[in-house]
Amino acid sequence: MRRAACPGSFDPVTNGHIDIIARASTLFDEVVVAVGVNPSKSRLFSAQERIEMLTEACGSYPGVSIDSFDGLLTDFCRDHDVRAIVKGLRAVSDFDYELQMAQMNSSLSGVETVFVPTSPEYSFLASSLVKEVATYGGDVSGLVPDLVLTRLTRRLSERAAERASERASERPPPGA
Ligand code: ADP
């Protein structure tokens, strides 16, 4: 049984992630999508929400399951009998960091990293960029699944309302 992990923060999952997960599932018997839970990092969506979106988007793919990890990815791999980490490579700029991580993970535990080149239509796609574009009202449909678009639109409008009410409470009352 060859089991691989697709790690990431998936805040939120994009069509670029889904493409890599789907392609990884054709290479391995089982693919565990490993959602990084790092409480010190500020995320738009909670770990539970990110897992729910991934489960809805690709949890029914054959051999694909969704899990989370906190701490070292190599510990997760050891505990889940994962032999390979699958990473998508978007551009040369991804490569330096990913090579360093792959070598570190290999030296820590011997786990191999398999790089899958991004499909050209997703080579510019990152969760951070999707959030930034959507924050300013840009159209990100086609870049994320519809279920993510719905949640993203709702979360961003909640955040905008929160910021507006914070600003209103900081303003001095009229005539003060
Ligand atoms: P982000 O999407 O913001 O880069 P993640 O940590 O969620 O951040 O990404 C997890 C992994 O998913 C990345 O390390 C990369 O391997 C892969 N990935 C993300 N976006 C793409 C994409 N558009 N094409 C291919 N792989 C991608």
Side-chain angles (χ1 to χ4, degrees):
M1 175 71 71
R2 287 173 186 272
R3 183 180 292 148
C6 282
S9 43
F10 305 103
D11 185 37
V13 60
T14 70
N15 289 343
H17 293 128
I18 292 170
D19 177 55
I20 296 295
I21 293 164
R23 288 161 64 201
S25 75
T26 67
L27 300 173
F28 293 89
D29 300 315
E30 286 185 12
V31 171
V32 188
V33 182
V35 180
V37 178
N38 183 343
S40 66
K41 289 203 175 161
S42 122
R43 305 282 185 207
L44 185 62
F45 293 100
S46 69
Q48 188 54 41
E49 290 171 319
R50 287 179 273 145
I51 290 168
E52 280 167 16
M53 287 187 276
L54 276 160
T55 305
E56 281 185 59
C58 54
S60 62
Y61 292 2
V64 172
S65 60
I66 323 294
D67 207 335
S68 63
F69 72 101
D70 184 4
L72 287 179
L73 178 60
T74 48
D75 289 345
F76 177 89
C77 292
R78 184 199 56 224
D79 296 346
H80 294 79
D81 196 24
V82 164
R83 305 295 169 85
I85 296 167
V86 176
K87 298 303 295 270
L89 279 185
R90 283 165 286 203
V92 179
S93 52
D94 278 348
F95 185 72
D96 274 349
Y97 178 71
E98 293 294 353
L99 179 64
Q100 201 179 3
M101 277 307 299
Q103 290 169 334
M104 173 60 84
N105 287 333
S106 169
S107 86
L108 283 173
S109 70
V111 68
E112 295 289 356
T113 297
V114 175
F115 292 118
V116 176
T118 182
S119 298
E121 64 268 38
Y122 303 129
S123 61
F124 61 92
L125 194 47
S127 299
S128 50
L129 201 50
V130 165
K131 286 182 282 192
E132 196 173 332
V133 169
T135 298
Y136 294 105
D139 180 8
V140 295
S141 57
L143 305 181
V144 294
D146 287 347
L147 66 103
V148 172
L149 184 64
T150 306
R151 287 195 189 217
L152 182 61
T153 308
R154 192 167 61 219
R155 178 58 43 86
L156 290 174
S157 64
E158 285 164 6
R159 287 283 165 99
E162 280 163 22
R163 276 198 302 275
S165 94
E166 277 162 22
R167 277 198 303 274
S169 67
E170 283 161 11
R171 238 177 272 136

